[in-house]
Each structure stands twice: as C-alpha cells, then as structure tokens.
Amino acid sequence: MKNLLPCHLLALFMFLMAPWLHGQSNKVYANSQTSKIMGVCLLCSVQTPQNAVGSNENDYSALRIPIGLAANIEQNLSFPVSSRSKVIVGIGTPNSTLSVQLLQGISVETFNGNTSNNDKTALDHNILRLSSDPHRGTLEFSPTKHFNRIKITLDGGLLDLNDEFRIYYAYLPGLLTECNVIPINPLHYYPFNGNTKDVISGLDLVDTVDNNFQENLVCGKALDSHPVTGNILETDTIQYSFLRTPKTIAFWGRVEESGRIRIEAPTVAITIKSDTVQAHRFPFYDYPDHGLPIPSHPDPLTDPPARAENNTPGQLNHYVITYDFQDPYNPNSEEGILCIYKNGVLSPNDPLEPRYSCVGHVIPIDENGEILFPRIKLYLNRAQIDELLVYNRKLTPEEIRQLACSYEKLASCPSPSSAAPNPDKIYATAETNKAIGICLGCSVQNPQNAVGPDEENYSSLKIPAGVSGKIEQTLIFPAPTTKNFRKIVIGIGTSNLSVQQLKGLTIETFMGNTSNNDQTTIINGMFKTGPHPNRGTIEFVPKKYFDRIKITLNGGEANLQDVIGIYYVYHISSPFTICGNPPLDPLAYYPLDGNINDAISNLNLTHEANSGPKQYSDNMVCGKKIRTENVISELVSPIYPLPSGDYDVTVSFWANIKKDSWTPGMHIDAFGETLTMSSEKIFWGDDYPYPSRHKDTPKGFNHYTLRYQFGKACLYINGKLSFNYIVHPPESKPQCVPVSTASLQNKQLKISLQDTEIDELIIYNRGLSSEEIENLASSYGIPFGSSPYSSSIAGMKAVSTEEKIFITPNPTHGNITLRGNIPFEDSEISISSITGTEVYHSKFTSKTFDLPSNLQGGVYILSVETKDKKVYTCRIILTR
C-alpha cells in the first residue's frame, strides 16, 4: 500500500504503522523528547525521560524538585507531525493525591519547531482531568495554533509537590492528515494528492482519462477537471452490508461559471453548481451527462431537493451532506432526513418546503429490494475538489463546524453556539458581582467567564481563610421563564469537590429585583459529581418563575482551601411527572389529577358548560384520571401559541374506550384533522360510520400519540405507527394522512368523551421522533391493554415480567434517565463506543445523571451490570 501514497503523505503512512501508534489510527504518540534542569539544584532529577515517549501508557518519566528550591525542570515532547489537535498527557504521582493546588507550579506551552506559540498556561481546572485512581490523571488542552512540540515545566518556587511528578505518555487524538484535524474514523478518504485513491479502505476512484491536479487548493494537491472532457470517476460496487446506516459526505469544492461537481453515493446524489447546491435521493433513472439538475417535474419516486442558495462562481467552499433513511419495506424504520451544511453551517430552508432546512430521505431500491447504485461516482466539469471524506455515521453539527474550521481556509468560522445550539438550554447572558462586609483579599476574577455557553472557562470566587465577608455573583438570563419545571444547572469546580467544600455557598432565584424567597444551602440531592472529582454541578428546580440566580459565598462558613470556579449557569427542562419520564419540555401537560389545568404553561382546559359531567378516579396510569359515563363530556383547550402557517405538534395520552358499540367513545378534533375512537374501530376523518381508513381498537388502557409533521398526521399506538387499512385496495403498511396548511390554522384541541377514561394528556410544540414516541409510551412502566379495573398500579406492573432497560430522552444532549424494571441498586454503569472501547464506568448512584462532558456526539452503548451479574444494554444517541 505504501507505493500508492503521494510522497508528502508517505511520512504520515509510516507513522501510522509505527509502534508508538499503539495499534490505533486515532492516537498519534510523541516520538522524541528532551529534558533539562535550570538553576542550581543538586537534588533535582529527571529519571527515565524516554519513558514519556511512545505508546506504552504504563511506564513513565519521573521529574523531582524538592519543595522550596528555586529551580525549574522542563521536558519537551515532540510529535511526528504539525497539528492543531487536542493534546492528552498522562500524569501521576506515586503517593500524593492529584489536585490543582498540589500542581499549581506546573505549566504547559506549545511550539511549532523552535517557535513558541506564546500560549504558556498554568495548570488549572480546565487542564487537569482526574480519574478514579487518585494518583493518576491527564492534562488535556486544545492549542489554537499549529504545533509539533509541547513543553511541560515544573517551577520549584511554586510547586507544592513533595513527591516525584510522572509523565506517562502524550498523544494527539483523531489525527488523519498533515494539514488538518478532523473527526476520527472516516470510512473513505480521498486526499487527491496526485491520485484518486482511498487511503483508508482502498475503495479507489477510477477515471478513463488522465487526471489533472492543482497545487495548494486546500491540503496538498486537489483534483482539477479535465479541460475538454471533464472527469467521470467511479468506484467498484460497495459490498459492505450496512448501506442502510446513516452517512456523511464532506468535501471542499470550487465551481467556475457553468461548471459543476456531482457526487453520487449510496442512495444520494449531490450537485454543486456555481450558484446552487442540491442534494437528493439518488433517482431511479440516471441523467445522460451525470450532471444535470433535477428536472422541473421530478420523478414522483424521488424526493424534492434540499438547496443552499447563493453560491458564488469560483469561490472555495466546504460542503457536508448528512443523511439517514426511511426504509419503505421496514414498517418500523425511522423517517429519513437529508441535510446540507455549507462552511460549517446548516443551509437555508428548502424553497419547496420553507419550514425545513432538511428534507425526507427514503432508500431507493429496485424490484428485488436491492439498493440502487451502491458505489461512489464523481463527475467534475470546470471545477476542483479536495479532501473528500465519507463517514458511516451522521456527524454532529459541532463536528461539522470543527471539520470546516480545522483547515483554516474560511475567512471566519461559525461559533460553537451558532453551529450546534440546544434551544432548550438557556445560558445566562449577563452578570453582576460584589463583596459584602469587611472582606480584605476577597475577589471575583474573570466574572464574565460564568456567562454564555463556554463550559470550559470559569469565574473565580475567593475569600481568604478567616475572613467573614461575603461575595455575591448574580447570573442573569436573557428573559424570564414562562414554563414550570425549568431546572437550573450551575457548573462548579474546586479541588476535591464535595458538599462539605461547598457548605458556605447559598443560591437564590429572583424575578427582576424581587426575590423568590428560596435561598438555600447546597445539600446532597442538589450536588452532582461528574467524571472528575474537581468538577460537578449544582442542580435544582425553582418553584416560581425566575430570570436570574444569585450565588453567595459566605466567608464565615466556607471550608475552602481553593477558589470556587463558576463555569456556567443555564436552565433546561426537567421531569414534570412523578410517574414516568416522557420527553422533556412540553408545551402543556394535563395530569388530570382532580382538575383539567395545565401544569407547565397555565394553558388550562375548559369543560363545556352544556356537556355531560366528568368524574375523577384513582389507580390507573398516574394518580387520578378522568372517567365519563354514557353522556358526552367535552373539553376544550385555549388557542395554543403556535406559529402562523405550518407547524409541528404532538399530542399524547392514555385512554380506555369502554363503550361496547360502534358509537364513538372519544372524538378528537385537533390541528386540522379528526380522529374518532370507538371500542371497536379507530379511524381518521369524518366518514364515520363507514370509514375507509381504520384499525381495530386495542382493548383496555393504551397509549396514543398523534404527530402532525411534514404535512402529515400520524397515529402511534403503544409506541408503534398504527395501520390504516384502505378498502380498495387492501393495504397493511403504516400510513399517515395528509394535513393542509390551511387546516392547521385551527390551533385548538377539542375532546369529546363518552364512557371513556383518559389520563396524562401532553402537548408538544414539535414533532417527536419515532424513538421518542416509543420511549414515551414505555416510560410509565404500565403494561399496554391493562384492565381499567385493576386495583392498583403496582398490581398492573406485576403483570409485566420481562426485565428491560431503556433511557429517556433519546436522542439526548447529555442528561439521561434510566428506566425499566431491572434492579439498579448496587449495579455498575458503563458506556462504550460502537467499536467496543469503554469510555465511562461508575457505580450506580442515581437513575438520572449527565453523560461525561468529554464524550463527543455520536452513538454509544450503555450497559448496566446488576449485582447478580446480569447485563442489560441499550443504545444512546448523543448530540452536542
């Protein structure tokens, strides 16, 4: 394979095969070192310095300076390439417990050759990462400039370490090319550095004409189109069995006037012209020149294209296409989505579907069920392309931003907050601080670092020992809350963090300048530890609306040997029901526990005065439920605060239709579509009593979800898309019904009940995913089809004997709750990558916890090993 690589990548290939790689393509270890002692220090020493080099992570170099000696020790660790990757250095001591205070005389600095990057940084909470072993940890930092060497310095005048300092290893994670750092583990990589070969998997692109290569486009050479004929390059048929998995395609491109780049990959085609970008499902027919845009009247079997307008002829851009699938032969498949990113940012809305930046994507298959065109094909005309990558997963928005920015070719890069926002996570945007009382030496340093979405920098609150004054820092959110069940999360850090360390800290919420009178100290239930002992969070749910929080450090009660770091403050939705853990942040929640009020936003239902009475009874799904008899009882919602025109909405509830006839027991007029339910049939529309689209009603209490999204209304029963049977011809595949934009102007919910029971009505102002709907149905732990006359919930739960585990929400931004009927007490929790590498392990402490902050977005496997050694697993989809 070596002779297939261009010359300037030969060194890269050789170091990928070198021993110090530790057999992993995503770790590049330091391969040389130098060390020296500066100053008069007869007792200073550097022992076995070469052990800090290479892939052995268990031997070490040992540096020692006796306390109080004004000398320095330096160890320089050099890497075989220049990079902007994160650096990870394994460190430790034989006897001392690692902490920021202990190591405060250590600094790190990066160099490119002999030139310093002027980024010398003292070790702090942002750099030090502790592990379960109190004597070992890592230094982790991300330089802002290219480097190929790091210098670690021990300053004897500042060091508080009466022990040797060990350096076990240093490596760069995720390095692939010599000019950039990209998300690790692509499936195929075409650098176009003098050839069209795939340097990862050998799936080469082959052309029938001689290829032209241009220097210095992005990284080394780039593929330039043939000036007369253009280029058509194609791989062999892709034989791997996971064509139905999500994919990402990324590349740099420049298109001249009247030129184009077209990439055809499994199930998708991408066309870049000088003025537009198009991506769509690969059609059932090919275009003669492989480069024409979709016709004005596309084949009805193809999806409409997503578009990113305003390309400029001759401008170099970075393009990323992500897509997953809806398999038409799999009734339980997720809805496929196809998205375009340009220069690290999601493209503007599709003009054919103005609501959406992404469009639906279905696997195109032939009459034998085989995926059409299972290969990669590249058409190039009056254009250049460089750095083509294919991933066997969907990159997260933050990974896409980092990928585009890492080449340093863009005039400006999108900020992390604009590239991958979590709209439910509301950070503080302003702050004030002050000292109270006589407080000499008290300080709030870098107070602005506690504001905004940067979760790595922090403000420092410090009160000298013995001082009885106070320090306050008030963090202000951009707007008052308008929903209940908003959890405040404070990122906090100090050496050996514990509740005892925080005994002098109080928190209090305000609406404007008015206190909510909820000042409290930190107790065990509020304090959450993370993967590192020196960082954690304070979490609680205020009982009143708020727009700011005041954090007070009381010197007379503090038990600190270090500063307190405030990393960030945000509020986010939290669980709102005591019986289950459905997807968070609904628009409205009606527990129906003795009233018809909304517990989230005060969007209360009303009972129509002329309709029949309703009753409340116990012991069904969660607390009380509404129960009606033979007369019709009607409930009406207010007009919901939903956007004008088209919008997404989801309605879920538990119901038991008891009336034993075709007479409707439940009639729902919701958001432009009507659903009627009798004890025998469920059907859409107003064509009762002879419905053409219907299904049999399941017996007993069952969970129902109505989703209005993409111009369709879909009914899920017990977490699964329901079957609507079409009379002529018979049809048994899951079906949704079309909903017009005009009909969606009815933003109310009207429910008529007769001889029916209903509980746990929830409204979301978004379309829940299929997986969220399935988790929602299962989150209460109630067996479907339960008898409405069971004596207790506990009795119903006993019916279900199959032990299982699942998590909510999923996908997640980091906070998860374990659900299921397995014994969690004394169990072991571990998280592994999809390749099997364990990335987290801990004892079970709580069903709700945050995934480690160092986990990047992607798919992980969570395992729970119970005390009787049974192992249960489930998939986590993490988005950052």
Side-chain angles (χ1 to χ4, degrees):
M1 181 175 175
K2 187 193 305 184
N3 63 341
L4 301 180
L5 289 171
C7 292
H8 82 285
L9 280 181
L10 183 58
L12 176 62
F13 175 79
M14 292 178 67
F15 80 69
L16 286 173
M17 299 297 105
W20 41 261
L21 185 58
H22 194 50
Q24 300 181 46
S25 61
N26 60 333
K27 281 187 179 182
V28 178
Y29 287 88
N31 65 342
S32 66
Q33 69 82 38
T34 62
S35 60
K36 65 179 178 179
I37 299 170
M38 295 171 291
V40 180
C41 188
L42 297 179
L43 298 178
C44 296
S45 64
V46 180
Q47 299 175 1
T48 59
Q50 73 281 358
N51 284 354
V53 171
S55 62
N56 189 334
E57 297 189 0
N58 292 313
D59 59 14
Y60 52 86
S61 126
L63 287 60
R64 179 183 283 274
I65 300 180
I67 289 180
L69 292 184
N72 289 351
I73 296 180
E74 294 179 355
Q75 184 161 23
N76 289 266
L77 300 172
S78 298
F79 299 94
V81 291
S82 177
S83 172
R84 282 182 58 213
S85 175
K86 176 195 283 188
V87 185
I88 299 177
V89 183
I91 63 167
T93 62
N95 303 301
S96 303
T97 300
L98 295 181
S99 69
V100 171
Q101 182 180 12
L102 182 74
L103 304 178
Q104 60 184 335
I106 295 177
S107 62
V108 293
E109 183 178 5
T110 66
F111 291 76
N112 204 0
N114 294 319
T115 303
S116 171
N117 286 328
N118 298 315
D119 58 358
K120 184 175 180 179
T121 304
L123 187 148
D124 61 11
H125 296 300
N126 291 324
I127 295 176
L128 178 63
R129 301 286 187 267
L130 302 179
S131 67
S132 57
D133 183 344
H135 307 303
R136 287 192 65 169
T138 56
L139 307 181
E140 301 183 14
F141 53 100
S142 299
T144 59
K145 299 179 181 179
H146 278 87
F147 68 95
N148 62 3
R149 177 165 61 94
I150 61 170
K151 181 167 72 176
I152 302 170
T153 303
L154 278 65
D155 187 335
L158 299 175
L159 198 63
D160 193 26
L161 176 65
N162 191 22
D163 202 349
E164 69 182 25
F165 178 73
R166 295 175 172 178
I167 301 177
Y168 288 84
Y169 55 85
Y171 68 80
L172 315 174
L175 185 70
L176 181 62
T177 75
E178 64 180 20
C179 64
N180 70 292
V181 175
I182 63 175
I184 61 174
N185 297 331
L187 189 63
H188 307 293
Y189 170 43
Y190 304 91
F192 296 122
N193 287 314
N195 60 44
T196 58
K197 298 182 182 300
D198 167 22
V199 299
I200 297 293
S201 307
L203 188 71
D204 300 339
L205 287 161
V206 179
D207 201 349
T208 57
V209 300
D210 293 334
N211 291 304
N212 297 321
F213 295 93
Q214 174 183 319
E215 298 282 357
N216 302 320
L217 186 68
V218 176
C219 181
K221 295 182 179 181
L223 180 62
D224 196 357
S225 56
H226 192 281
V228 178
T229 62
N231 300 71
I232 301 177
L233 301 93
E234 189 171 353
T235 69
D236 288 336
T237 300
I238 299 172
Q239 299 297 332
Y240 48 77
S241 60
F242 36 86
L243 284 170
R244 286 177 167 84
T245 58
K247 294 288 187 296
T248 299
I249 298 172
F251 57 96
W252 287 87
R254 184 166 66 191
V255 181
E256 307 298 336
E257 191 71 48
S258 302
R260 73 186 69 239
I261 298 171
R262 181 176 169 89
I263 299 174
E264 297 171 358
T267 82
V268 71
I270 305 131
T271 302
I272 313 292
K273 298 193 293 185
S274 59
D275 57 346
T276 60
V277 183
Q278 299 178 342
H280 54 88
R281 180 183 64 134
F282 189 80
F284 283 85
Y285 54 91
D286 203 357
Y287 300 115
D289 70 350
H290 305 278
L292 290 175
I294 288 182
S296 58
H297 299 287
D299 186 294
L301 297 176
T302 63
D303 293 330
R307 301 170 183 265
E309 302 293 344
N310 301 321
N311 256 4
T312 301
Q315 178 176 309
L316 180 67
N317 293 300
H318 187 257
Y319 303 98
V320 176
I321 290 81
T322 66
Y323 57 103
D324 53 18
F325 309 106
Q326 181 184 32
D327 187 341
Y329 285 178
N330 180 1
N332 297 317
S333 67
E334 289 289 338
E335 289 198 7
I337 292 294
L338 185 151
C339 306
I340 296 176
Y341 293 78
K342 178 181 172 184
N343 295 331
V345 177
L346 187 63
S347 75
N349 293 341
D350 169 20
L352 299 180
E353 288 285 347
R355 284 193 300 146
Y356 306 113
S357 295
C358 305
V359 296
H361 187 70
V362 179
I363 300 177
I365 50 182
D366 62 19
E367 62 274 10
N368 297 317
E370 298 296 328
I371 293 178
L372 291 175
F373 206 81
R375 59 180 61 86
I376 298 172
K377 193 170 188 177
L378 172 62
Y379 174 87
L380 207 65
N381 185 20
R382 296 178 56 82
Q384 297 86 38
I385 188 171
D386 203 1
E387 295 290 288
L388 173 61
L389 293 141
V390 180
Y391 292 87
N392 198 42
R393 64 185 179 94
K394 287 179 68 174
L395 298 188
T396 66
E398 177 61 15
E399 287 178 312
I400 292 168
R401 183 194 72 86
Q402 292 176 346
L403 174 56
C405 295
S406 64
Y407 289 87
E408 297 182 331
K409 291 294 182 179
L410 302 177
S412 62
C413 273
S415 65
S417 60
S418 66
N422 176 0
D424 189 38
K425 195 184 243 188
I426 310 299
Y427 288 89
T429 53
E431 68 82 36
T432 62
N433 64 85
K434 63 180 179 180
I436 301 174
I438 300 173
C439 200
L440 298 177
C442 298
S443 65
V444 180
Q445 300 175 356
N446 303 312
Q448 72 283 353
N449 285 353
V451 172
D454 184 348
E455 297 190 2
E456 298 304 319
N457 293 316
Y458 56 91
S459 73
S460 302
L461 280 60
K462 186 171 186 179
I463 297 181
V467 175
S468 60
K470 298 181 180 181
I471 297 176
E472 293 179 354
Q473 184 168 24
T474 300
L475 283 304
I476 304 169
F477 298 105
T481 57
T482 58
K483 293 182 179 181
N484 296 318
F485 303 101
R486 298 295 297 180
K487 178 172 67 175
I488 291 179
V489 179
I490 304 169
I492 195 162
T494 191
S495 294
N496 299 313
L497 189 61
S498 66
V499 171
Q500 184 65 19
Q501 285 278 74
L502 303 176
K503 63 179 294 187
L505 207 66
T506 63
I507 53 177
E508 183 179 6
T509 65
F510 289 76
M511 177 63 80
N513 294 320
T514 303
S515 171
N516 284 329
N517 297 315
D518 58 359
Q519 185 181 78
T520 182
T521 56
I522 311 305
I523 60 177
N524 279 320
M526 300 167 61
F527 175 64
K528 310 290 184 183
T529 58
H532 307 294
N534 58 349
R535 285 187 63 172
T537 57
I538 298 168
E539 303 179 12
F540 66 103
V541 180
K543 294 182 179 179
K544 299 180 180 180
Y545 293 156
F546 59 89
D547 69 351
R548 65 197 65 196
I549 180 172
K550 182 168 69 177
I551 303 170
T552 303
L553 181 59
N554 301 279
E557 300 176 17
N559 184 28
L560 287 175
Q561 303 299 320
D562 198 357
V563 300
I564 283 187
I566 307 297
Y567 287 81
Y568 53 85
V569 176
Y570 62 78
H571 62 82
I572 194 169
S573 55
S574 65
F576 52 89
T577 169
I578 61 173
C579 303
N581 191 15
L584 301 180
D585 201 30
L587 175 64
Y589 166 52
Y590 306 95
L592 306 178
D593 289 337
N595 60 52
I596 52 176
N597 293 337
D598 166 30
I600 300 290
S601 309
N602 296 322
L603 297 169
N604 300 332
L605 300 174
T606 58
H607 180 230
E608 289 289 88
N610 296 326
S611 66
K614 60 186 185 308
Q615 304 172 14
Y616 297 95
S617 57
D618 292 319
N619 298 329
M620 212 41 243
V621 175
C622 184
K624 296 180 182 292
K625 63 179 180 294
I626 284 183
R627 182 172 182 172
T628 62
E629 299 301 337
N630 288 327
V631 294
I632 297 176
S633 182
E634 295 185 349
L635 306 177
V636 181
S637 78
I639 297 175
Y640 289 115
L642 296 167
S644 300
D646 211 352
Y647 55 82
D648 299 339
V649 68
T650 304
V651 180
S652 77
F653 55 90
W654 286 83
N656 174 43
I657 314 299
K658 299 192 301 174
K659 192 168 184 63
D660 219 4
S661 71
W662 269 82
T663 306
M666 188 172 188
H667 186 89
I668 303 175
D669 186 4
F671 312 106
E673 188 57 59
T674 301
L675 186 74
T676 302
M677 303 168 65
S678 75
S679 61
E680 297 181 4
K681 301 292 181 183
I682 301 174
F683 56 91
W684 289 108
D686 295 319
D687 51 353
Y688 173 81
Y690 303 107
S692 60
R693 300 173 299 183
H694 66 266
K695 73 170 273 83
D696 293 337
T697 304
K699 302 303 180 184
F701 243 93
N702 293 278
H703 189 266
Y704 300 89
T705 303
L706 307 177
R707 183 181 65 190
Y708 302 80
Q709 189 179 35
F710 299 113
K712 299 180 294 184
C714 304
L715 172 64
Y716 289 77
I717 301 177
N718 297 332
K720 303 297 183 182
L721 186 60
S722 72
F723 283 43
N724 291 317
Y725 295 99
I726 311 302
V727 176
H728 299 292
E731 181 61 73
S732 60
K733 290 192 300 185
Q735 300 288 316
C736 301
V737 297
V739 176
S740 69
T741 302
S743 65
L744 283 171
Q745 298 315 298
N746 175 16
K747 299 176 183 178
Q748 279 184 295
L749 179 69
K750 298 181 181 180
I751 304 177
S752 298
L753 304 170
Q754 184 178 13
D755 205 9
T756 293
E757 297 173 322
I758 184 173
D759 201 3
E760 293 292 288
L761 174 62
I762 308 177
I763 314 296
Y764 291 90
N765 54 346
R766 63 185 179 91
L768 298 187
S769 70
S770 299
E771 187 166 17
E772 285 179 308
I773 291 172
E774 185 171 3
N775 286 339
L776 169 57
S778 303
S779 64
Y780 290 87
I782 303 294
F784 306 128
S786 301
S787 167
Y789 304 107
S790 297
S791 59
S792 68
I793 293 178
M796 288 189 297
K797 289 182 178 179
V799 175
S800 179
T801 59
E802 180 186 1
E803 293 183 340
K804 60 181 179 179
I805 180 177
F806 56 93
I807 67 170
T808 56
N810 195 13
T812 176
H813 294 294
N815 180 268
I816 64 172
T817 296
L818 302 177
R819 307 293 303 171
N821 57 349
I822 71 170
F824 288 102
E825 292 74 16
D826 299 324
S827 62
E828 298 279 343
I829 308 294
S830 65
I831 299 174
S832 302
S833 68
I834 57 176
T835 62
T837 303
E838 185 175 88
V839 295
Y840 175 75
H841 191 104
S842 74
K843 279 279 191 183
F844 171 81
T845 57
S846 171
K847 287 186 179 181
T848 299
F849 64 96
D850 287 315
L851 302 176
S853 59
N854 61 337
L855 289 187
Q856 297 181 346
V859 179
Y860 297 89
I861 304 300
L862 180 140
S863 299
V864 178
E865 182 178 356
T866 61
K867 60 184 179 182
D868 58 356
K869 302 304 179 183
K870 292 182 179 180
V871 178
Y872 302 85
T873 62
C874 61
R875 183 182 64 168
I876 300 175
I877 302 174
L878 176 62
T879 61
R880 292 293 195 188

